[in-house]
Amino acid sequence: MSKAYNPYEDMLEVLEKAAKMLGLDEKDYEALKYPERELKVAIPVEMDDGSIRVFQGYRVQHSSSRGPCKGGIRYHQDVDIDEVKALAAWMSFKCAVVNIPYGGGKGAVKVNPKELSKNELKNLTRRYTAMILPLIGPETDIPAPDVNTNAEIMGWIMDTYSMFKGYTVPGVVTGKPVEIGGSLGRKEATGRGVMFMTREILHRLGMPIIGAEVAVQGMGNVGGTAARLLHNEGCKIVAVSDVSGGVYRRSGLDVNEILSFLSSDEGKLLKDYNAPGIVHITNEELLTTECDVLIPAALENQITEALAPRIKASVIVEGANGPTTVEADKILERNRKVVVPDILANAGGVVVSYFEWVQNIQSLMWDEEEVNRTLEKIMIRAFNEVWEKKNEKGTTMRMGAYMVAIDRIVKAKQIRGIFP
Ligand code: GLU
């Protein structure tokens, strides 16, 4: 019997292993096992029918050693504190691996936003922002979109914070609408980064990108953009899925047609999509599809110990945070699968968040070409550093990425010392 999944314990196990491989003393990384701060809030919302519902919310700051805490806010009915703590720690490692001057944080509200009206969602967001206000700010902790949150919600956060301050503070949040200080290219940034990382790994492995068969789990912002951009690079997208299940076509799917179908109406799902030669599959069938590259871009805990032995892709590029459990990862390593780990593969989003924050602080506006070019440079630099570390220590890319990240955070901590 495998033990119940706990993302925080998985995070600790990987941290421990990488720190040992780096030859660190326990005292060097002891503090990284715990978040610096955790805030839990109860958010009352007046619903449209006049009733009151109280939602559970969190903001966790894992580390501020390398700069302000940075990380998204997710709205999901299943979130709990251990998930938010793990996600916050993964943000610290992610920002360190791409070497941007941030620590890590994460926020969440336990809610299924699809059950709320627009007005209820806005009230929930504004009240949540007011309740985490003591923690956030452009110099302390900067939220961004994550699962089920978007630019519009970030706009409400920016406005609420600014109303309390008495002046407009664009840099308190990233992933905002472009009209109020958002960055060009931010929306596509995570998916674009996944595309760059897929391109780099295929190149390293001597596998041609043209015609490479790709399966993508999740057709949200990350999976949808990655599928579209990889299709443009010449990959054959053979399977995609969303919460309702997936679609498969051996000769390749028409990604643009699928994306316009999904965006044609609020709540459109793949189970209702049809085209000649399409086979409807489950999410489990998608993950075990015959293909070259598998991109899990949905939630944590998808590639489990039970599923990992059946994965046929030779390369896995983690678009989601924590899609592979620790036990599953050991099986993938044994089966010689190459995994580009989440903290590297999906870092494109936070990298362009960093550009957005820099633009806000300087009151500058970059054009999209500059954003995409600088993103590519940072992502490729990080990929190469991880690849070198992996080769130097004869280990996996995940361990390589964690070693690069932990080394940077520990060094920052040592240089600063412990107060008082
Ligand atoms: N939520 C995204 C992530 O997990 C983006 C975070 C950010 O831009 O701060 O990386």
Side-chain angles (χ1 to χ4, degrees):
M1 246 304 264
S2 57
K3 57 181 174 21
Y5 171 69
N6 181 323
Y8 189 64
E9 278 165 18
D10 270 21
M11 183 282 290
L12 287 177
E13 195 173 326
V14 179
L15 165 66
E16 197 88 46
K17 191 170 164 196
K20 293 231 164 75
M21 240 183 230
L22 270 175
L24 292 178
D25 218 52
E26 188 138 4
K27 69 171 173 24
D28 297 330
Y29 66 92
E30 179 65 15
L32 290 180
K33 295 185 193 163
Y34 312 94
E36 285 176 11
R37 247 189 218 107
E38 292 170 45
L39 177 64
K40 182 174 167 205
V41 294
I43 314 156
V45 178
E46 184 170 350
M47 308 301 280
D48 293 345
D49 65 3
S51 66
I52 305 285
R53 277 183 69 187
V54 181
F55 297 91
Q56 209 69 254
Y58 308 94
R59 184 74 193 172
V60 172
Q61 300 179 334
H62 174 258
S63 167
S64 60
S65 296
R66 302 181 66 257
C69 298
K70 184 83 190 83
I73 290 171
R74 77 170 47 178
Y75 288 173
H76 199 277
Q77 59 278 14
D78 297 330
V79 291
D80 61 30
I81 186 65
D82 275 350
E83 179 180 348
V84 188
K85 280 162 66 181
L87 287 161
W90 289 333
M91 284 310 303
S92 301
F93 303 137
K94 193 183 298 188
C95 294
V97 82
V98 289
N99 210 2
I100 56 176
Y102 288 137
K106 201 82 174 197
V109 178
K110 193 172 174 65
V111 59
N112 179 355
K114 289 171 187 105
E115 287 172 1
L116 301 190
S117 70
K118 179 89 164 255
N119 189 49
E120 291 164 344
L121 191 66
K122 182 158 65 177
N123 289 343
L124 170 75
T125 302
R126 285 187 177 281
R127 182 61 187 246
Y128 169 68
T129 307
M131 295 180 89
I132 63 166
L133 206 89
L135 297 198
I136 61 172
E139 278 127 14
T140 52
D141 184 357
I142 306 128
D146 196 76
V147 174
N148 289 334
T149 56
N150 56 23
E152 185 176 38
I153 293 175
M154 299 307 115
W156 296 331
I157 294 177
M158 184 275 231
D159 183 69
T160 305
Y161 184 87
S162 300
M163 287 302 110
F164 274 88
K165 287 284 158 188
Y167 52 91
T168 300
V169 188
V172 64
V173 68
T174 58
K176 301 176 288 294
V178 173
E179 294 81 354
I180 55 168
S183 178
L184 294 171
R186 173 62 185 86
K187 189 164 190 288
E188 300 78 22
T190 313
R192 187 174 295 279
V194 169
M195 179 273 280
F196 290 143
M197 295 298 91
T198 307
R199 204 185 62 192
E200 290 308 298
I201 190 66
L202 290 177
H203 182 67
R204 289 282 181 166
L205 298 173
M207 294 165 71
I209 191 157
I210 308 282
E213 296 189 351
V214 179
V216 183
Q217 184 199 31
M219 279 303 258
N221 184 36
V222 180
T225 307
R228 178 168 59 80
L229 296 179
L230 283 167
H231 176 75
N232 293 349
E233 293 290 309
C235 292
K236 188 157 90 177
I237 313 297
V238 291
V240 298
S241 71
D242 64 15
V243 281
S244 73
V247 290
Y248 171 84
R249 187 162 68 189
R250 176 108 211 96
S251 59
L253 296 163
D254 186 336
V255 177
N256 291 321
E257 187 187 281
I258 292 176
L259 288 171
S260 40
F261 168 81
L262 291 175
S263 60
S264 61
D265 226 337
E266 186 91 21
K268 273 262 192 218
L269 291 168
L270 278 173
K271 70 174 168 43
D272 301 316
Y273 173 76
N274 256 310
I278 294 275
V279 183
H280 284 266
I281 56 174
T282 62
N283 256 297
E284 191 166 322
E285 284 168 326
L286 179 130
L287 294 169
T288 54
T289 290
E290 194 84 53
C291 60
D292 300 307
V293 183
L294 172 64
I295 303 183
L299 287 168
E300 305 88 74
N301 194 21
Q302 298 301 301
I303 303 181
T304 57
E305 194 177 354
L307 188 125
R310 291 184 280 131
I311 288 196
K312 299 189 192 66
S314 48
V315 176
I316 296 145
V317 182
E318 295 183 331
N321 291 312
T324 310
T325 67
V326 163
E327 293 308 320
D329 210 32
K330 292 174 191 160
I331 297 168
L332 297 180
E333 188 181 351
R334 263 203 309 277
N335 292 349
R336 299 190 178 287
K337 306 293 183 189
V338 176
V339 181
V340 184
D342 48 6
I343 60 168
L344 172 65
N346 71 37
V350 75
V351 170
V352 177
S353 276
Y354 165 54
F355 302 160
E356 181 172 328
W357 177 78
V358 166
Q359 292 171 77
N360 293 158
I361 288 172
Q362 303 184 47
S363 300
L364 280 175
M365 285 190 259
W366 299 8
D367 61 35
E368 195 165 350
E369 198 271 329
E370 184 173 2
V371 169
N372 291 344
R373 182 166 39 82
T374 319
L375 169 65
E376 183 169 10
K377 197 173 90 188
I378 290 185
M379 294 298 292
I380 292 177
R381 181 186 69 195
F383 182 97
N384 290 338
E385 285 171 344
V386 168
W387 190 260
E388 268 169 39
K389 187 58 98 186
K390 158 198 117 66
N391 287 344
E392 179 196 320
K393 301 276 180 180
T395 181
T396 60
M397 283 192 80
R398 188 179 318 277
M399 279 300 122
Y402 270 80
M403 281 191 276
V404 169
I406 292 166
D407 189 42
R408 286 191 176 131
I409 303 172
V410 166
K411 281 209 174 104
K413 279 187 163 305
Q414 283 168 345
I415 292 165
R416 292 179 62 162
I418 293 183
F419 172 84

